[in-house]
């Protein structure tokens, strides 16, 4: 009898997944440097194919203009204002869990256009704690990790069996509804959640197809381009001003340490 009930329950679960195989999560992304910039993103996760896209929607507050150069959108340069052009060149991050791949449509320091960047899904060494609280009506549990130069505190919902989260974060036994860097500079907070969505007319268009005209680079190649641009800028500054000899350019984006990529 137990076996029959199990098969029946499994069949119903499979049917629900087949019919309602999307989850949609809306996040605010706050960046705190000289001022607070609030951006709006959506995470769309396809449970059936186990892939997702994290899409920029709009700049909610803290922007002054849309005439800024199309570079360093995540604060990679301390001299640029954090705003977005009203163009199709807006950030997007796609995770393909079955293929262990992550694709980013993002800027590179010193470049005027966006690139499609490829890398393996980052590995997170999560430490799960016992603390709990409530977010959006779900009991969430605390976890901490270190990712490319910053320490993070996350709150995930074990009740929502989606091992995913905003930006590049993933790997917890539940959906991440809140995560912030412990230095206070970056914060992702879920404010809207829709589970079991049909979204019959939506599918994730692979960035390699969606951005056919954009240059494609690996994460390692991105780092080479970025360092070359930094070196060229320092040379230019030194040629214009002898006092600038020995100047340095500090990269202050969300990711600081790429030793895991270079190893």
């Amino acid at each position: 009898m137990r076996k029959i009930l199990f098969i029946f329950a499994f069949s119903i679960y499979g049917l629900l997944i087949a019919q309602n195989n999307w989850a949609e999560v809306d996040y605010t992304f706050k960046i705190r440097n000289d001022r607070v910039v609030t951006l709006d993103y959506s995470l769309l996760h396809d449970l059936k194919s186990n892939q997702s896209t994290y899409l920029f929607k709009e700049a909610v507050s803290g922007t002054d203009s849309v005439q800024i150069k199309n570079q360093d959108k995540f604060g990679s340069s301390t001299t640029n204002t954090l705003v977005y052009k009203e163009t199709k060149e807006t950030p997007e991050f796609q995770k393909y869990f079955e293929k262990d791949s992550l694709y980013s449509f993002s800027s590179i320091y010193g470049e005027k256009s966006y690139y499609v960047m490829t890398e393996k899904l980052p590995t997170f060494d999560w430490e799960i704690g016992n603390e709990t609280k409530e977010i959006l009506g779900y009991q969430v549990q605390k976890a901490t990790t270190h990712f490319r130069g910053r320490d993070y505190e996350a709150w995930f919902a074990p009740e929502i069996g989606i091992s995913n989260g905003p930006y590049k974060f993933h790997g917890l036994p539940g959906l991440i509804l809140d995560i912030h860097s412990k230095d206070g500079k970056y914060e992702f907070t879920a404010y809207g959640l829709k589970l079991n969505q049909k979204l019959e007319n939506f599918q994730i268009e692979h960035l390699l197809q969606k951005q056919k005209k954009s240059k494609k680079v690996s994460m390692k190649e991105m780092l080479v381009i970025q360092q070359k641009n930094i070196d060229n800028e320092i040379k230019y500054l030194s040629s214009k001003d002898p006092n600038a000899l020995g100047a340095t350019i500090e990269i202050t984006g969300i990711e600081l340490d790429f030793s895991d990529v270079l190893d």
Side-chain angles (χ1 to χ4, degrees), residues 45-259:
H45 186 99
D46 184 349
L47 283 77
K48 188 176 181 180
S49 62
N50 201 18
Q51 61 188 40
S52 68
T53 184
Y54 184 66
L55 296 156
F56 170 78
K57 292 165 62 179
E58 63 178 333
V60 180
S61 66
T63 58
D64 298 326
S65 169
V66 293
Q67 304 301 320
I68 291 298
K69 290 180 180 180
N70 198 15
Q71 67 179 27
D72 304 319
K73 298 298 192 282
F74 287 96
S76 295
S77 169
T78 56
T79 60
N80 287 347
T81 306
L82 272 164
V83 299
Y84 290 86
K85 271 191 174 182
E86 292 181 340
T87 69
K88 293 182 179 179
E89 289 192 328
T90 51
E92 183 173 352
F93 304 87
Q94 295 182 349
K95 303 184 188 106
Y96 292 84
F97 293 97
E98 299 299 327
K99 297 181 179 179
D100 190 26
S101 300
L102 190 151
Y103 295 81
S104 307
F105 186 56
S106 189
S107 60
I108 300 176
Y109 181 88
E111 297 296 304
K112 293 182 178 180
S113 60
Y114 271 38
Y115 284 69
V116 176
M117 289 182 281
T118 64
E119 60 179 303
K120 288 187 176 181
L121 283 170
T123 300
F124 294 91
D125 184 15
W126 292 104
E127 183 175 336
I128 299 176
N130 296 320
E131 295 179 56
T132 62
K133 63 180 182 178
E134 188 175 294
I135 298 178
L136 296 177
Y138 290 90
Q139 181 169 287
V140 294
Q141 192 170 348
K142 181 180 176 181
T144 56
T145 193
H146 182 86
F147 177 56
R148 291 181 179 164
R150 297 187 191 278
D151 294 317
Y152 289 89
E153 177 180 298
W155 294 87
F156 68 99
E159 185 179 345
I160 306 174
I162 299 173
S163 183
N164 203 352
Y167 189 55
K168 299 182 180 183
F169 298 105
H170 67 96
L172 281 166
L175 181 66
I176 299 171
L177 296 182
D178 181 278
I179 183 167
H180 58 270
S181 60
K182 291 187 177 181
D183 60 10
K185 291 184 178 293
Y186 298 94
E187 178 183 322
F188 304 82
T189 306
Y191 68 87
L193 178 61
K194 296 177 183 177
L195 302 175
N196 298 321
Q197 298 294 297
K198 290 185 179 180
L199 294 179
E200 295 173 348
N201 298 321
F202 182 86
Q203 64 179 28
I204 297 174
E205 185 179 2
H206 201 296
L207 278 173
L208 293 177
Q209 295 298 319
K210 187 176 180 179
Q211 305 294 344
K212 290 182 179 180
K213 295 183 180 180
S214 298
K215 295 179 181 178
K216 289 84 176 174
V217 294
S218 66
M219 182 63 73
K220 284 186 178 181
E221 290 170 330
M222 179 278 288
L223 294 172
V224 171
I225 295 170
Q226 178 173 272
Q227 189 58 53
K228 181 179 178 181
N229 290 341
I230 290 173
D231 293 342
N232 288 339
E233 187 169 348
I234 291 174
K235 288 179 182 178
Y236 174 77
L237 292 172
S238 300
S239 67
K240 293 294 183 180
D241 182 5
N243 294 324
L245 189 64
T248 59
I249 294 176
E250 181 183 10
I251 302 299
T252 60
I254 190 169
E255 298 176 42
L256 302 173
D257 181 2
F258 293 92
S259 56

